[in-house]
Amino acid sequence: MSEFQLSLASIEEVRQFVNAATRSPCEVDVCAGRYVVDGKSIMGLFSLDLSHPVTIRVHGGEGDREAFRQAVENLLAK
């Protein structure tokens, strides 16, 4: 499992994230506080408070996890 922080500040960034998660063979969880939603669900993401960075947990093979992380590299929280 890989874990990192993302900042999803705009609708376009959410759409980009969901597209990357959907293309990935990995399971992607998005955690905000005590809530966890499927990263492949745009409706699930919009149910979270995205005004703060969220934690992403990626489950899958090492190569697949790294490919997903690179796909969302520009969204990493700073």
Side-chain angles (χ1 to χ4, degrees), residues 26-42:
C26 298
E27 293 297 319
V28 180
D29 296 329
V30 180
C31 310
R34 60 189 171 113
Y35 299 102
V36 178
V37 298
D38 183 357
K40 298 179 182 187
S41 168
I42 198 162

Side-chain angles (χ1 to χ4, degrees), residues 8 11 13 15 23 34 38 46-49 62 68 77:
L8 300 170
I11 292 171
E13 288 176 343
R15 186 187 66 76
R23 281 186 244 116
R34 60 189 171 113
D38 183 357
F46 282 126
S47 72
L48 299 175
D49 177 10
E62 187 174 337
F68 176 75

Side-chain angles (χ1 to χ4, degrees), residues 2-78:
S2 296
E3 185 173 298
F4 50 92
Q5 297 280 315
L6 285 186
S7 205
L8 300 170
S10 71
I11 292 171
E12 179 57 31
E13 288 176 343
V14 172
R15 186 187 66 76
Q16 179 186 354
F17 175 82
V18 170
N19 285 341
T22 301
R23 281 186 244 116
S24 174
C26 298
E27 293 297 319
V28 180
D29 296 329
V30 180
C31 310
R34 60 189 171 113
Y35 299 102
V36 178
V37 298
D38 183 357
K40 298 179 182 187
S41 168
I42 198 162
M43 293 301 290
L45 283 174
F46 282 126
S47 72
L48 299 175
D49 177 10
L50 297 176
S51 64
H52 303 288
V54 293
T55 301
I56 308 302
R57 293 189 182 128
V58 185
H59 308 273
E62 187 174 337
D64 293 332
R65 292 192 321 259
E66 184 57 33
F68 176 75
R69 183 182 174 99
Q70 289 176 359
V72 297
E73 187 82 32
N74 64 316
L75 303 174
L76 290 175
K78 292 159 178 74

